[in-house]
Amino acid sequence: MVSEQSMPEPDGPRGLAKLALRDQLLTARRRRSLDEVGEAARAIAEHLLGSTEVRRAATVSCYVSVGNEPGTTALLDLLVAGGKRVILPVLLPDNDLDWGVYHGDTALAPAGRGLLEPVGTRLGADAVATADAVLLPGLAVSPTGDRLGRGGGSYDRALARVPVGTFTCVLLYSDETGKPVPTEPHDRPVAAAVTPEGIVRF
């Protein structure tokens, strides 16, 4: 990634509703074939690279996908080939995110929880605020842009540092949009979602 990792959700109706929805979505992802994951990754990359927001961006925040998440491997290299400065998250012990510059897949190192992180100088937690476009993982999004992550709260903290008006976009499969995502006070909405079908802006 970092891809957002699981942590126990707070008790209460909203926390329990999040857990139930998260379990359902993770189960569906595990059933996706490698072909479907690959096709989705190609279509998502094409939509993002063709979008005005990403084309105009000098710095893009992204992540290294893991498992059956919509893939970002080709997207990362295409962003760099297009002249973008790409920054990737580094998961800190307190579940906050630091950031490092992406210099190709040979400059990624294994980290905890099966993640890959950029090697080299750390830029600090506030580096995400320098991104003109923020591409982030998730499991679902509501019709109004409420995003469901994996429960660690890492990206909610990161999004709190992103200036208002920045293009923030979650990468999802088509059937993960329009979900009734329960929200809590710390949750941060996104401006858009991209699926193999295209980009939906909120």
Side-chain angles (χ1 to χ4, degrees):
M1 128 180 163
V2 207
S3 176
E4 200 159 45
Q5 297 302 298
S6 300
M7 268 182 61
E9 200 73 56
D11 290 333
R14 292 181 188 276
L16 293 173
K18 281 185 176 182
L19 281 173
L21 181 57
R22 192 173 288 122
D23 287 346
Q24 172 191 338
L25 293 161
L26 286 170
T27 297
R29 280 195 174 178
R30 284 192 289 270
R31 293 176 178 153
R32 296 185 189 277
S33 69
L34 290 177
D35 284 346
E36 183 182 359
V37 173
E39 288 171 11
R42 286 187 287 276
I44 285 171
E46 183 176 337
H47 294 310
L48 286 171
L49 294 167
S51 70
T52 300
E53 295 91 346
V54 173
R55 281 203 320 269
R56 291 180 175 172
T59 296
V60 177
S61 160
C62 197
Y63 62 99
V64 180
S65 58
V66 295
N68 279 7
E69 289 181 329
T72 61
T73 304
L75 173 62
L76 290 170
D77 290 333
L78 289 167
L79 286 168
V80 172
K84 312 297 181 189
R85 174 179 179 259
V86 178
I87 60 172
L88 301 178
V90 176
L91 189 64
L92 298 172
D94 65 354
N95 260 20
D96 206 344
L97 298 177
D98 201 337
W99 301 86
V101 177
Y102 176 63
H103 294 294
D105 59 6
T106 58
L108 296 173
R113 305 181 189 181
L115 303 174
L116 291 173
E117 296 176 346
V119 299
T121 304
R122 298 292 179 245
L123 305 175
D126 290 335
V128 68
T130 68
D132 305 297
V134 177
L135 310 179
L136 61 155
L139 292 173
V141 71
S142 77
T144 56
D146 296 313
R147 170 189 158 273
L148 179 70
R150 295 211 183 199
S154 304
Y155 275 94
D156 289 313
R157 290 194 229 179
L159 287 172
R161 300 179 178 111
V162 173
V164 174
T166 302
F167 181 67
T168 55
C169 183
V170 59
L171 280 62
L172 297 170
Y173 295 102
S174 302
D175 57 0
E176 296 171 342
T177 63
K179 298 290 186 181
V181 175
T183 60
E184 296 178 274
H186 65 271
D187 292 328
R188 301 282 175 162
V190 291
V194 60
T195 74
E197 266 64 58
I199 297 175
V200 178
R201 292 170 176 83
F202 305 111

